[in-house]
Amino acid sequence: MASTIQIRVDDDLKKKSDRLFKDLGTDTTSAIRIFLTQAVAYNGFPFEIRKNPVEKNPYAAISEEEMLERLSVAREHSGQGRQREARTVISDMRSKYGL
């Protein structure tokens, strides 16, 4: 037996979510079903919910100018022998951000 869930959402949100899920190869109904399945599997929300502002993610998209500045600083650090092995950085990213 299958149950029906009805929800009301803003028209713009519905259009945007329909477009997003279509681009991801699914539809909004299936995405909601996936969310519910994952919520049951996690025994809670399948993502973190926070009341306080989120700490800035250092791996979020940045401007070209900021990227060039970071590269300049990285070159300076490298010249001073202050660098880390890529596998250590990747391991840290995976554990910190769940990648």
Side-chain angles (χ1 to χ4, degrees):
M1 179 176 202
S3 297
T4 300
I5 297 175
Q6 292 183 335
I7 60 171
R8 292 193 184 277
V9 296
D10 179 75
D11 289 338
D12 188 49
L13 175 61
K14 174 73 165 80
K15 288 175 190 172
K16 287 178 180 178
S17 65
D18 285 344
R19 226 175 330 190
L20 169 66
F21 296 129
K22 182 178 180 185
D23 287 347
L24 294 172
T26 190
D27 56 45
T28 302
T29 300
S30 296
I32 293 169
R33 190 176 296 112
I34 291 167
F35 167 78
L36 294 174
T37 301
Q38 288 298 298
V40 170
Y42 277 80
N43 198 28
F45 284 97
F47 47 80
E48 190 171 359
I49 298 177
R50 300 179 186 187
K51 182 177 178 181
N52 297 325
V54 177
E55 174 185 318
K56 184 177 179 191
N57 179 348
Y59 305 104
I62 60 174
S63 69
E64 180 179 356
E65 182 178 317
E66 189 175 353
M67 175 61 80
L68 292 174
E69 175 61 29
R70 287 186 185 188
L71 286 171
S72 176
V73 169
R75 283 188 195 99
E76 287 177 30
H77 288 177
S78 179
Q80 299 167 355
R82 296 170 52 197
Q83 70 265 356
R84 297 172 59 203
E85 288 195 23
R87 74 182 75 150
T88 304
V89 174
I90 291 169
S91 176
D92 290 349
M93 287 172 56
R94 285 188 174 139
S95 63
K96 185 172 182 179
Y97 298 103
L99 303 175

